[in-house]
């Protein structure tokens, strides 16, 4: 996350945490963006890499990229990290990934 103070830019990192309650409520901090989601999969980019959440009847309760918070409710069956970092690019790079 970038905070601007006057003419200078200051990089700040939101701590990354994953809190799972009873396999049906997941709260995550350090979220930079959510790439895609449906009732079975949510794919988010965090400051620790790409995070994929799998389950049934998944629903995003809260998403704030300003504060880095993501809250997901549903039957959570898996949480998986990959080391891929989000690549910024133009529309063609998003289409052909």
């Amino acid at each position: 996350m970038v905070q601007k103070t006057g003419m200078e830019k200051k990089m700040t990192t939101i701590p990354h945490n994953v809190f799972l309650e009873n396999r049906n409520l997941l709260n995550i901090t350090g979220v930079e963006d959510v790439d895609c989601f449906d009732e079975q999969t949510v794919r988010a980019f965090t400051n620790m890499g790409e995070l994929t959440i799998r389950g049934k009847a998944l629903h995003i309760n809260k998403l704030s990229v300003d504060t880095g918070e993501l809250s997901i409710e549903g039957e959570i069956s898996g949480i998986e990290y990959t080391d891929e970092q989000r690549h910024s690019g133009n529309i063609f790079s998003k289409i052909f990934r």
Side-chain angles (χ1 to χ4, degrees), residues 18 20 23-26 28 36-44 50-59 70 72-82 84:
V18 177
L20 179 61
R23 292 186 63 181
N24 63 10
L25 180 61
L26 181 64
I28 306 168
C36 62
F37 63 92
D38 59 29
E39 290 188 345
Q40 291 84 33
T41 306
V42 177
R43 188 168 69 178
E50 184 180 321
L51 180 63
T52 303
I53 298 96
R54 299 189 194 287
K56 295 179 185 174
L58 299 180
H59 175 73
L70 174 62
I72 300 170
E73 191 172 12
E75 187 180 322
I76 298 164
S77 60
I79 302 170
E80 178 183 10
Y81 284 96
T82 60
E84 291 181 31

Side-chain angles (χ1 to χ4, degrees), residues 24-95:
N24 63 10
L25 180 61
L26 181 64
N27 291 302
I28 306 168
T29 61
V31 174
E32 297 171 349
D33 197 9
V34 171
D35 185 44
C36 62
F37 63 92
D38 59 29
E39 290 188 345
Q40 291 84 33
T41 306
V42 177
R43 188 168 69 178
F45 291 95
T46 73
N47 52 22
M48 300 298 289
E50 184 180 321
L51 180 63
T52 303
I53 298 96
R54 299 189 194 287
K56 295 179 185 174
L58 299 180
H59 175 73
I60 294 178
N61 289 333
K62 178 181 182 179
L63 170 61
S64 174
V65 292
D66 292 334
T67 61
E69 297 175 84
L70 174 62
S71 179
I72 300 170
E73 191 172 12
E75 187 180 322
I76 298 164
S77 60
I79 302 170
E80 178 183 10
Y81 284 96
T82 60
D83 289 335
E84 291 181 31
Q85 295 294 324
R86 183 172 179 121
H87 300 287
S88 60
N90 61 26
I91 187 134
F92 294 111
S93 66
K94 292 179 182 178
I95 291 172

